[in-house]
Amino acid sequence: MHTLINSWPLTAAYVHGKYMDVLAANALAVALSPYNAPGQNGILAAFLEPEMRALHTDWDEMTARVVPYLRSIVGADTEESRLVELVGELSLRSERFRRLWARQDVTHKTTGISKLNHPQVGPIELHYEKLLIPGTDMQALITYHADPGSESEERLRLLATMNTSFDPSRGAYGDRVGPEFNIPPQVT
């Protein structure tokens, strides 16, 4: 999987596990957001990190999509300890999460558009795709790409040239990838 996602120079891509822990990422995904780096958790970042609210100009819509998506990938495992831990922390720290979780919506939206205001390159509109990886425990490949020839593609290209030093085998910050986030054999 590393070879595949690293071969896409203008497609930000990362793999997350069942509970949205980032397992692998290419340089462009981390350049879009350091919360896309291995060792990070997407749903925790979405609700608890102020930078995510600033980055996502569509933050309300994004958070309204991510909670039903989490419910869709965990399925009937609602008593699993990792999910209980995530829901507990988010419920204590985020009123918005509490309200969205209480709705009990389940939706596996796999495509759409994310609107970002990146601190280095400005506004970017990206198409996303969420693809479940067969033979894994609900791991998903998430990709972001711009329309060819668009201003967003030019900004994505600029971002890619500005951020070429990420080593995906070590994570965005080298020491942030703990043993609990080792990439399983099925995604290497």
Side-chain angles (χ1 to χ4, degrees), residues 113-125:
I113 295 177
S114 283
K115 296 177 182 178
L116 309 175
N117 187 18
H118 195 276
Q120 289 179 298
V121 296
I124 306 176
E125 187 170 290

Side-chain angles (χ1 to χ4, degrees), residues 52-185:
M52 289 293 281
R53 183 172 248 179
L55 176 65
H56 287 268
T57 60
D58 61 348
W59 185 83
D60 287 333
E61 294 86 6
M62 183 269 291
T63 56
R65 287 189 311 260
V66 75
V67 172
Y69 171 74
L70 177 63
R71 281 188 177 277
S72 77
I73 58 176
V74 298
D77 290 341
T78 57
E79 300 302 318
E80 202 280 328
S81 63
R82 177 70 173 134
L83 180 65
V84 170
E85 173 188 316
L86 282 172
V87 171
E89 180 174 357
L90 287 164
S91 294
L92 288 173
R93 297 178 59 193
S94 171
E95 172 64 30
R96 176 144 177 87
F97 176 82
R98 248 188 331 272
R99 282 184 284 133
L100 292 170
W101 188 257
R103 290 183 356 195
Q104 298 189 12
D105 296 338
V106 178
T107 305
H108 191 85
K109 186 169 177 11
T110 59
T111 64
I113 295 177
S114 283
K115 296 177 182 178
L116 309 175
N117 187 18
H118 195 276
Q120 289 179 298
V121 296
I124 306 176
E125 187 170 290
L126 300 174
H127 299 271
Y128 67 83
E129 309 279 338
K130 297 178 182 179
L131 309 165
L132 289 178
I133 301 171
T136 67
D137 185 23
M138 301 304 287
Q139 292 176 7
L141 169 64
I142 315 300
T143 64
Y144 291 90
H145 65 277
D147 285 327
S150 68
E151 188 172 326
S152 289
E153 183 186 52
E154 287 306 310
R155 290 172 189 249
L156 202 57
R157 187 179 310 280
L158 176 60
L159 186 62
T161 62
M162 295 168 66
N163 296 278
T164 58
S165 62
F166 174 64
D167 177 358
S169 67
R170 293 182 347 126
Y173 309 106
D175 61 343
R176 294 188 85 153
V177 180
E180 67 274 22
F181 297 111
N182 283 341
I183 299 167

